Amino acid sequence: MAQTAQKNAGTTVRTLVCTAALALALGGTLAGCKDPTGGAATSSAAPPGAGATGAHGSALAAVDSLTVKGRAPKTGYTRDKFGAAWADTDHNHCDTRDDILKRDLRQTTFRDGAKKCIVTAGTLADPYTGTRITYTRGASKVDIDHAVALSDAWQKGAQQWTADKRRNFANDPLNLLAVDASTNRRKSDGDTATWLPPNTAFRCTYVARQVAVKKKYGVWVTSGERDAMRKVLGGCPKEPLPAG
């Protein structure tokens, strides 16, 4: 009986010590607080990406996972280094441009009827300007923009990629948005440090998408670009990192 009482007392003391440590740490990781039955040490720290920002974590936190290097020369860049424009990489028998128009436009009509592949008309709620644009095939004021421009990627790692990886990058829906054509031309190959959408309400979402694309493909950022990403996302720290 005395031994049982002593064992219970020891367990109680250990529990109180760990509880006190938890209060002091305000939810931090507790070293040495083992299960009294001899199990592994436990921790109250949340896993990366858990919480309000969703399973993929916050875009702001993901900025710190990006490699920081200087911009390489643009030497050798041409659009065809990334394969034929709008290749059908998902093998659904529709080219990538029409896939994105179908995804981003509303009230769409199609040349091929029930197949719903070739978009002939629709309406775009343009994320870059916050305006509404009518799309008509052949007289389009809508571009499909690479959130991370191909030229920007070329100067930050894509020169060393395989041709297949560059083609996949150029046709990845995560990196593509239907947007106002004239605004897209003004963007050119700018990164976060040199260009942001005039629609300020879209900036957090836009920069989060750039972070997700660069993380997915291992495209590096300059120090100025990283700082600009942190500045934008610091105003929306719970902006989730897009999946794709």
Side-chain angles (χ1 to χ4, degrees):
M1 293 293 292
Q3 289 179 341
T4 301
Q6 184 177 10
K7 181 178 179 181
N8 289 340
T11 299
T12 302
V13 170
R14 184 181 296 275
T15 301
L16 290 172
V17 169
C18 286
T19 303
L22 176 62
L24 289 173
L26 295 176
T29 302
L30 304 181
C33 289
K34 297 182 180 179
D35 183 275
T37 62
T42 59
S43 168
S44 63
T53 54
H56 296 278
S58 75
L60 178 60
V63 172
D64 290 333
S65 70
L66 302 178
T67 299
V68 179
K69 294 174 67 173
R71 184 187 294 271
K74 195 175 177 179
T75 306
Y77 169 75
T78 58
R79 172 61 180 84
D80 60 14
K81 295 289 187 183
F82 289 81
W86 313 128
D88 178 20
T89 55
D90 61 2
H91 309 294
N92 69 346
H93 306 293
C94 301
D95 69 34
T96 300
R97 177 180 171 81
D98 278 303
D99 283 341
I100 302 304
L101 289 171
K102 182 178 177 180
R103 183 195 71 185
D104 290 355
L105 270 58
R106 298 295 178 266
Q107 300 172 316
T108 47
T109 59
F110 300 88
R111 178 184 300 168
D112 47 359
K115 186 181 178 183
K116 293 186 176 181
C117 183
I118 302 173
V119 179
T120 56
T123 302
L124 174 69
D126 175 43
Y128 283 0
T129 63
T131 61
R132 192 168 295 276
I133 301 172
T134 299
Y135 169 80
T136 303
R137 197 177 192 92
S140 177
K141 296 180 180 179
V142 174
D143 277 355
I144 305 301
D145 181 38
H146 291 94
V148 176
L150 303 186
S151 172
D152 181 58
W154 179 261
Q155 296 171 78
K156 297 172 182 173
Q159 293 185 41
Q160 286 75 49
W161 296 352
T162 64
D164 283 347
K165 184 174 180 179
R166 287 197 291 264
R167 184 181 66 251
N168 290 338
F169 177 86
N171 292 279
D172 189 337
L174 179 64
N175 193 30
L176 297 172
L177 292 167
V179 299
D180 172 62
S182 61
T183 305
N184 182 43
R185 311 296 166 79
R186 288 193 292 273
K187 171 192 171 181
S188 186
D189 59 359
D191 59 24
T192 303
T194 59
W195 189 88
L196 289 169
N199 178 17
T200 56
F202 185 67
R203 288 180 179 178
C204 286
T205 303
Y206 173 76
V207 174
R209 185 177 290 266
Q210 286 196 329
V211 173
V213 171
K214 293 203 167 190
K215 181 179 176 67
K216 179 177 180 178
Y217 286 91
V219 179
W220 71 69
V221 295
T222 65
S223 59
E225 182 182 4
R226 176 203 58 199
D227 293 346
M229 286 174 164
R230 286 174 174 169
K231 182 177 180 180
V232 172
L233 295 172
C236 44
K238 293 185 179 182
E239 180 72 30
L241 187 71

